[in-house]
């Protein structure tokens, strides 16, 4: 597991578990995405098998929506205790997910060279 994958797992571990249906329902409503708990469960199983792509994708799908950011932040704040902590958590989770995705991407210099 890379440092970025470990950080992503640690951040997501700050959220409640599968059994806290009230939190996950509130997050579903805020994000406008349904079946969040089952998607999270599948992504966690993939990560356990060494594939963190679905977990990073889950974070982008749920938390990376500017139009819904206020509602998503409020939903996360119900668990983390404050809006400021929720904003910081969302920023960190998106950044960690981005780094996980870049870690598993192709060689950026090779891709840049092919463009030019």
């Amino acid at each position: 597991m890379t440092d970025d994958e470990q950080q992503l797992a640690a951040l997501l571990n700050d959220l409640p578990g599968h059994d806290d249906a009230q939190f996950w329902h509130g997050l579903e409503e805020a994000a406008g995405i349904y079946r969040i708990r089952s998607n999270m469960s599948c992504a966690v199983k993939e990560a356990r098998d060494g594939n963190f792509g679905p977990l990073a994708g889950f974070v982008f799908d749920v938390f990376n929506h500017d139009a819904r950011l206020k509602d998503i932040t409020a939903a996360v704040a119900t668990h983390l205790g404050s809006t400021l902590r929720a904003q910081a958590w969302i920023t960190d989770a998106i950044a960690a997910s981005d780094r996980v995705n870049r870690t598993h991407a192709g060689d950026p210099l090779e891709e840049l060279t092919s463009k030019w």
Side-chain angles (χ1 to χ4, degrees), residues 6 9 14 22 28-29 38 42 45 55 58 97 106 110:
Q6 189 169 13
D14 286 343
Q22 184 176 356
E28 283 178 343
E29 291 291 320
S38 63
C42 291
K45 288 176 186 170
L55 203 54
F58 172 84
S97 295
E110 185 176 315

Side-chain angles (χ1 to χ4, degrees), residues 5 11 39 47 61 63 68 71 111:
E5 291 168 344
L11 283 163
N39 291 343
D61 290 345
F63 299 102
R68 295 180 170 264
D71 294 334
E111 292 176 20

Side-chain angles (χ1 to χ4, degrees), residues 30-116:
I33 299 172
Y34 299 95
R35 299 180 44 93
I36 283 183
R37 284 193 303 169
S38 63
N39 291 343
M40 174 74 159
S41 181
C42 291
V44 168
K45 288 176 186 170
E46 287 284 328
R48 192 174 346 163
D49 292 336
N51 181 8
F52 275 77
L55 203 54
F58 172 84
V59 169
F60 288 130
D61 290 345
V62 175
F63 299 102
N64 197 23
H65 297 283
D66 288 342
R68 295 180 170 264
L69 188 56
K70 184 177 179 180
D71 294 334
I72 293 168
T73 301
V76 173
T78 63
H79 178 70
L80 296 181
S82 75
T83 301
L84 188 58
R85 282 192 68 202
Q87 289 170 337
W89 185 95
I90 290 168
T91 300
D92 290 345
I94 290 170
S97 295
D98 186 47
R99 288 190 305 272
V100 165
N101 280 346
R102 279 188 276 133
T103 299
H104 297 290
D107 180 6
L109 182 55
E110 185 176 315
E111 292 176 20
L112 178 62
T113 303
S114 71
K115 288 181 182 180
W116 293 93

